[in-house]
Amino acid sequence: MSNVDASSNGVMRSLSANFLGSAPVWYKFTTLLFLVINPLIFFSASIFGGSAEAVYWAHFTAGWALIIEFIFTLAMALKCYPLQPGGLITIEALFIGMTSTEEVYKEILGNVDVLLLLMFMVAAIYFVRSLLLFSFSKILCSVRNKIALSLIFCGGAAFLSAFLDALTVLAVIISIAMGFYTIYNKVVSSSSAAPESEAAKQQRNDLHQFRAFLRSLMMHAAIGTALGGICTLVGEPQNLIIGKHAGWEFGEFFFRMLPVSLPVLVFGLITCVLVERFKILGYGEKIPESVFKILKDYNDQTNSQMTTKDKAKLIIQGIACVWLVLALALHLAVPGMIGLSVIILVSSFCGVTSEGEIGKAFTENMPFVCVICVFFAIIAVISSNDLFGPVAKLIFSMQDETHQLSVLFFANGLLSAVSDNVFVGTLFMTQCLHAYAANVISLDQFEHMAIAVNAGTNIPSIITPNGQSAFLFLLTSALAPLIRLSYLRMMKMALPYALVLVIASHVSTVYIMPRFDVDLVKWGLVTDHEVPGIEQLRAEIKARQAEESKLGVSDEGTAPAAKAAEDEAPAAEAK
């Protein structure tokens, strides 16, 4: 009997040790605690026989608890990859009915472009890494001034993100930084210095400084993608949705956003210079001389040993990069399919025909694809439980237009920081469109609110790594643990940018943009025109009102369920 007990204890200890692998014990207990309290919160009102309103608030509280828990798993990404703990609480949410598999499937299907981009575009960068490393090694060796180098990374990322996808731009820069780190690590690893020798201590100090140097460049580039993403119709996915609802083409969108995007860009670049100059919150570290020498020697050696075959590969990769930029800028296909074409072209003409070699390109991005799918399941919970509904109702209950724009800006920013920018942008733009169709707001106010939604979803969300998919990709990339870039460190380094840019974008959106709106029309840069499809929407609203009048339903009324359904219609359409 004692043998059986000992065997059982051994199995339990093994199960406990295997659960979440090498994660700390306190982290494992915290995850188990989440799995216990979520059903208790969700069913608390039902267990005690509460009213329908009590059930709603119990579900509402459980939904926000799930969001906070998922953010916690992202914050602890260096302790345990967020797929496992985040996935466990999400699976439980599906089982207890916080959302349905159908809703999750709809969210994933609605964001299939993002998944294709992650699968194929990120893998495509792997196939042109030689050209990227070759080009940026020359830049790094030529530009010794850290402030100038930071401006190149921040400004370059901003320019590219105005026309390309931000995640693609950051994937390119991650690949470059990964190449620099690999080169240095390879040389240092072959060193025979004793662990306690002065040479070994100097190498450790250089490594710490080099990590800080790469962290600062990566954060400058990440912020740069947000600076550029706000500017154009194609800068971010939610921009397309906002432009479609407002009826703005590429040029009109650019000029409508200019009173906001230009100050944001200027203050962003000024912040880049200041944080480097005064070494604020982890910025300002220069590349150690020993590391610079290793990278320069590698660059010189690569140039001297380059064969005709190597040069031919670089030419092919260069042609593929030109095709990539042109195809993305002209929107010849969704980014993921363009990435797939790059994989096919480069692998064909550079002789990469082994399945094993091609498979290496997908090893880094596929875990993140899984995390994003879990994230979309969290969005389904938000949608199913109307977690953002009270905020939307508060905004449209305001009478003062300035206050309305201000609250709308911050509401989009805060909700985008914990949710998906596309979901939040779609939700509020649909609400704005219905408010305009019902003559609750004017055309001018609708257009101003569209700009506030765009600014809110793009800028304040930089405060958290899960606020933008490009930031989340950086956090969960293979580079992040190598350069010690954790969730909290990303938040700390984003803080100076966030404070400056939120103030600049808020003042520009609420006070400067409405005054410039008239001048833009006067100068012929934009035109006043009706919103596409608004008459059809008004006809639908009138038909619904007529039907309700026939049934004797009033707003104050006798049928609260009908009123609730009408209130939830915009959110349903956004979904």
Side-chain angles (χ1 to χ4, degrees):
M1 193 69 180
S2 60
N3 290 336
V4 174
D5 291 340
S7 177
S8 299
N9 290 335
V11 171
M12 291 304 296
R13 281 196 296 269
S14 297
L15 287 173
S16 175
N18 289 339
F19 178 66
L20 297 184
S22 59
V25 175
W26 65 264
Y27 187 89
K28 297 180 182 183
F29 277 111
T30 303
T31 304
L32 291 174
L33 180 64
F34 292 159
L35 294 171
V36 171
I37 65 173
N38 286 351
L40 294 178
I41 298 173
F42 189 74
F43 292 117
S44 58
S46 302
I47 292 171
F48 296 105
S51 62
E53 185 178 358
V55 171
Y56 166 78
W57 285 110
H59 292 181
F60 184 88
T61 306
W64 274 104
L66 185 71
I67 293 173
I68 294 169
E69 291 161 6
F70 185 70
I71 292 173
F72 171 82
T73 66
L74 296 175
M76 297 291 110
L78 295 184
K79 302 291 184 184
C80 178
Y81 195 70
L83 174 63
Q84 288 75 28
L88 286 173
I89 61 174
T90 305
I91 290 171
E92 183 188 62
L94 285 165
F95 270 105
I96 65 178
M98 293 180 75
T99 189
S100 65
T101 54
E102 289 79 11
E103 287 298 320
V104 175
Y105 178 71
K106 285 179 185 176
E107 287 294 338
I108 292 174
L109 195 63
N111 290 278
V112 69
D113 288 359
V114 176
L115 298 179
L116 288 174
L117 183 143
L118 289 170
M119 286 189 287
F120 297 127
M121 185 62 77
V122 176
I125 303 304
Y126 176 87
F127 286 94
V128 295
R129 68 193 186 284
S130 299
L131 177 66
L132 296 174
L133 189 58
F134 175 80
S135 304
F136 277 83
S137 294
K138 290 189 175 299
I139 294 174
L140 190 66
C141 293
S142 303
V143 182
R144 295 303 311 275
N145 186 294
K146 178 64 187 306
I147 294 177
L149 193 63
S150 300
L151 284 172
I152 289 173
F153 272 75
C154 187
F159 176 77
L160 291 174
S161 295
F163 302 97
L164 310 179
D165 183 84
L167 202 150
T168 303
V169 174
L170 204 54
V172 170
I173 298 170
I174 289 172
S175 177
I176 295 162
M178 194 73 178
F180 290 155
Y181 188 89
T182 304
I183 293 167
Y184 173 73
N185 189 56
K186 186 177 179 181
V187 174
V188 172
S189 299
S190 62
S191 173
S192 58
E196 298 303 322
S197 64
E198 286 299 320
K201 290 179 181 178
Q202 185 60 45
Q203 284 179 356
R204 284 195 292 271
N205 291 334
D206 289 344
L207 177 59
H208 292 319
Q209 189 176 342
F210 185 44
R211 282 170 172 164
F213 171 79
L214 289 179
R215 280 198 302 268
S216 62
L217 289 184
M218 293 310 304
M219 287 304 298
H220 288 314
I223 298 296
T225 62
L227 298 179
I230 190 177
C231 296
T232 65
L233 186 66
V234 297
E236 291 286 348
Q238 67 268 21
N239 297 15
L240 285 167
I241 295 168
I242 294 166
K244 180 182 177 183
H245 277 69
W248 297 338
E249 297 297 333
F250 188 94
E252 183 171 4
F253 187 98
F254 174 79
F255 286 116
R256 292 274 187 189
M257 288 305 305
L258 199 58
V260 178
S261 60
L262 185 59
V264 165
L265 178 62
V266 171
F267 277 99
L269 296 178
I270 291 173
T271 305
C272 177
V273 173
L274 293 178
V275 294
E276 285 293 332
R277 174 67 180 79
F278 296 103
K279 299 186 176 182
I280 299 171
L281 295 178
Y283 292 100
E285 286 290 351
K286 297 180 180 179
I287 186 170
E289 284 300 323
S290 62
V291 179
F292 175 78
K293 186 177 183 305
I294 289 172
L295 296 178
K296 190 174 186 306
D297 290 344
Y298 171 83
N299 183 54
D300 295 340
Q301 184 181 359
T302 302
N303 291 340
S304 62
Q305 295 179 354
M306 189 173 292
T307 64
T308 306
K309 190 176 181 180
D310 294 329
K311 292 178 181 177
K313 288 181 179 179
L314 291 180
I315 292 171
I316 293 297
Q317 292 177 23
I319 293 171
C321 286
V322 172
W323 155 248
L324 175 68
V325 172
L326 289 176
L328 286 172
L330 298 174
H331 302 284
L332 301 182
V334 295
M337 301 312 296
I338 296 170
L340 179 59
S341 70
V342 170
I343 293 172
I344 294 170
L345 290 171
V346 176
S347 60
S348 298
F349 287 95
C350 290
V352 183
T353 56
S354 165
E355 182 181 357
E357 284 295 313
I358 295 172
K360 289 178 183 177
F362 294 89
T363 54
E364 282 191 27
N365 56 343
M366 290 311 295
F368 183 65
V369 171
C370 298
V371 173
I372 282 291
C373 288
V374 172
F375 183 61
F376 290 148
I378 301 293
I379 301 302
V381 172
I382 293 172
S383 180
S384 298
N385 295 279
D386 193 26
L387 300 186
F388 296 167
V391 179
K393 289 176 184 177
L394 171 67
I395 292 169
F396 287 101
S397 66
M398 293 180 171
Q399 299 300 318
D400 185 83
E401 291 188 3
T402 301
H403 291 165
Q404 203 173 46
L405 281 179
S406 183
V407 175
L408 182 64
F409 172 86
F410 282 114
N412 274 269
L414 290 173
L415 296 178
S416 294
V418 299
S419 178
D420 175 52
N421 306 47
V422 178
F423 173 81
V424 175
T426 304
L427 172 68
F428 279 101
M429 276 308 297
T430 307
Q431 297 271 9
C432 293
L433 190 63
H434 277 74
Y436 173 55
N439 297 316
V440 175
I441 58 176
S442 65
L443 176 60
D444 285 344
Q445 183 67 355
F446 169 76
E447 291 173 341
H448 296 164
M449 292 177 84
I451 294 170
V453 171
N454 186 51
T457 54
N458 276 287
I459 299 302
S461 57
I462 66 174
I463 193 63
T464 64
N466 50 298
Q468 301 205 14
S469 58
F471 284 42
L472 189 58
F473 179 65
L474 172 60
L475 175 68
T476 56
S477 68
L479 177 68
L482 296 178
I483 62 174
R484 305 298 188 263
L485 187 61
S486 64
Y487 188 99
L488 294 178
R489 182 167 266 161
M490 280 188 75
M491 285 188 67
K492 184 184 79 171
M493 296 185 74
L495 186 60
Y497 275 109
L499 290 174
V500 173
L501 297 182
V502 167
I503 293 171
S505 55
H506 176 258
V507 171
S508 301
T509 300
V510 178
Y511 300 106
I512 298 176
M513 176 270 297
R515 289 168 172 76
F516 267 90
D517 195 45
V518 177
D519 293 328
L520 291 173
V521 175
K522 190 189 302 181
W523 297 335
L525 298 175
V526 300
T527 57
D528 281 329
H529 55 78
E530 192 53 276
V531 176
I534 196 66
E535 293 304 325
Q536 181 181 350
L537 184 57
R538 282 175 175 156
E540 291 173 3
I541 291 174
K542 286 180 180 178
R544 187 169 66 245
Q545 289 173 343
E547 186 178 348
E548 289 174 353
S549 299
K550 202 178 291 182
L551 295 171
V553 177
S554 67
D555 279 357
E556 293 76 29
T558 55
K563 173 62 179 168
E566 182 179 342
D567 288 342
E568 291 172 4
E573 183 174 325
K575 275 195 326 186

